[in-house]
Amino acid sequence: MTAVGTGSELVRNATRRLQEAGVPDAARDARRLFSFATGTDASRLILTLPEPVCEEVACVFEGLIVRRMAREPVSHLLDPRPETETLVEVALRSNFTKMVDLGTGSGCILVTLLAEVPQSIGYGTDLSGAALDVARENAEIHGVLDRSTFVCADWMESAKGAFDLIVSNPPYIAVDEMAGLSPEVSRWEPHMALTDGADGLTHYRRIIKQAVSHLMPDGRLIFEIGPTQGQAVADLMRAAHLQHVTVIPDLDGRDRVVSAQMIGFQPERRA
Ligand SMILES: C[S@@+](CC[C@H](N)C(=O)[O-])C[C@H]1O[C@@H](n2cnc3c(N)ncnc32)[C@H](O)[C@@H]1O
């Protein structure tokens, strides 16, 4: 795993950016979030801060800092997202050299994957220009900007060529589930990042349709899903003639990721 600097350096940089964003008690928040990102008890920080920090942890920390800069409460940030870690872990189980992260948001998935696989290049797409600015900044901070391309696009609409890995964590909450979301989620996540405004599967259908003509032979398509969507998303992938369709649970045993592979060529492949 590549180190990106010491904990002290990351916390100093984060404190300065929080201060510039007008966050009160910036140094305290930076230390709390660092302690959370590294899984270190706050009382032991003095021992761990001089140590080098790996890319993966630095990326998690950066995601927290960016959200705190937008004045999201610290209490909300101290809420882990193991589902996205599961997607990254599954993606890293096989080789890839050219990947795309659809709906890249803060770029956390893209940046982590590129940092972990140094010979790879990656594309991040999103409809939100503001999200792409954050993703670009994250790619720069973590030294992968020269291997990243960011495109404001509707999923793969303007994509050219083929990829050996396509990943996405699209908005998957059904519209009738939105009312049941906690205020911490519904107030702090942009609406466009949460729901498709329908049954929760619209984006999977669209992405699968686009992705099959952009997957290299043996290339993989990997989705994060809501815990009740495993069967439905797996069926959509099988209907598109993808193979080795597997639903993978997170550490709590809830379905969180669906992975599938393209075997052979697709007649509709675009140049
Ligand atoms: C659930 S968030 C995922 C963000 C990030 N990849 C992650 O895992 O933390 C979904 C992202 O998809 C983006 N998005 C929504 N509709 C899109 C579309 N039609 N094309 C591209 N991106 C879209 C949203 O702006 C948001 O950044």
Side-chain angles (χ1 to χ4, degrees):
M1 234 176 247
T2 328
V4 292
T6 65
S8 307
E9 286 164 352
L10 293 186
V11 168
R12 214 170 20 247
N13 174 286
T15 302
R16 180 185 49 75
R17 289 162 61 217
L18 289 175
Q19 277 164 346
E20 284 169 6
V23 173
D25 291 325
R28 188 200 57 184
D29 285 2
R31 288 168 71 91
R32 276 179 77 187
L33 294 174
F34 184 77
S35 147
F36 176 70
T38 53
T40 312
D41 192 273
S43 62
R44 292 183 55 80
L45 267 191
I46 191 103
L47 299 174
T48 54
L49 278 172
E51 291 173 8
V53 177
C54 72
E55 290 275 0
E56 206 167 354
V57 169
C59 184
V60 172
F61 179 53
E62 175 59 22
L64 295 169
I65 293 300
V66 168
R67 288 164 68 186
R68 184 67 190 120
M69 283 166 69
R71 307 304 290 267
E72 196 169 341
V74 173
S75 57
H76 179 210
L77 296 174
L78 305 186
D79 176 23
R81 285 197 19 93
E83 49 273 29
T84 301
E85 284 165 32
T86 308
L87 186 152
V88 166
E89 244 179 69
V90 171
L92 289 173
R93 283 181 200 160
S94 339
N95 297 331
F96 61 88
T97 53
K98 188 179 169 198
M99 52 124 350
V100 58
D101 175 19
L102 304 173
T104 196
S106 68
C108 201
I109 296 173
L110 174 76
V111 169
T112 307
L113 290 175
L114 292 187
E116 288 291 326
V117 183
Q119 73 281 17
S120 61
I121 60 166
Y123 293 72
T125 75
D126 208 290
L127 272 187
S128 157
L132 289 171
D133 288 344
V134 173
R136 206 173 283 113
E137 194 181 329
N138 280 334
E140 182 164 23
I141 288 168
H142 298 289
V144 299
L145 187 58
D146 58 336
R147 294 187 282 125
S148 315
T149 305
F150 294 98
V151 188
C152 192
D154 186 3
W155 305 128
M156 299 198 83
E157 205 52 58
S158 57
K160 292 202 170 38
F163 301 83
D164 49 14
L165 175 65
I166 299 176
V167 294
S168 186
N169 170 19
Y172 54 65
I173 297 171
V175 71
D176 56 10
E177 291 170 349
M178 286 294 284
L181 291 182
S182 65
E184 283 81 1
V185 175
S186 56
R187 277 187 58 195
W188 290 103
E189 297 286 348
H191 194 264
M192 186 173 79
L194 292 175
T195 182
D196 61 354
D199 66 352
L201 297 171
T202 316
H203 294 307
Y204 297 109
R205 293 189 192 96
R206 291 198 53 218
I207 292 173
I208 291 168
K209 195 158 183 264
Q210 295 177 350
V212 287
S213 54
H214 289 286
L215 272 174
M216 290 180 193
D218 297 332
R220 288 172 312 137
L221 173 61
I222 306 178
F223 284 125
E224 181 179 321
I225 54 159
T228 61
Q229 294 172 321
Q231 183 69 50
V233 174
D235 287 348
L236 291 171
M237 288 170 128
R238 288 192 192 96
H241 306 294
L242 291 164
Q243 313 272 318
H244 303 149
V245 179
T246 318
V247 180
I248 299 136
D250 62 18
L251 289 175
D252 293 330
R254 286 174 305 184
D255 289 348
R256 272 305 178 186
V257 167
V258 188
S259 167
Q261 199 168 17
M262 166 68 68
I263 306 292
F265 287 94
Q266 282 289 312
E268 296 165 23
R269 183 181 306 291
R270 296 177 202 172

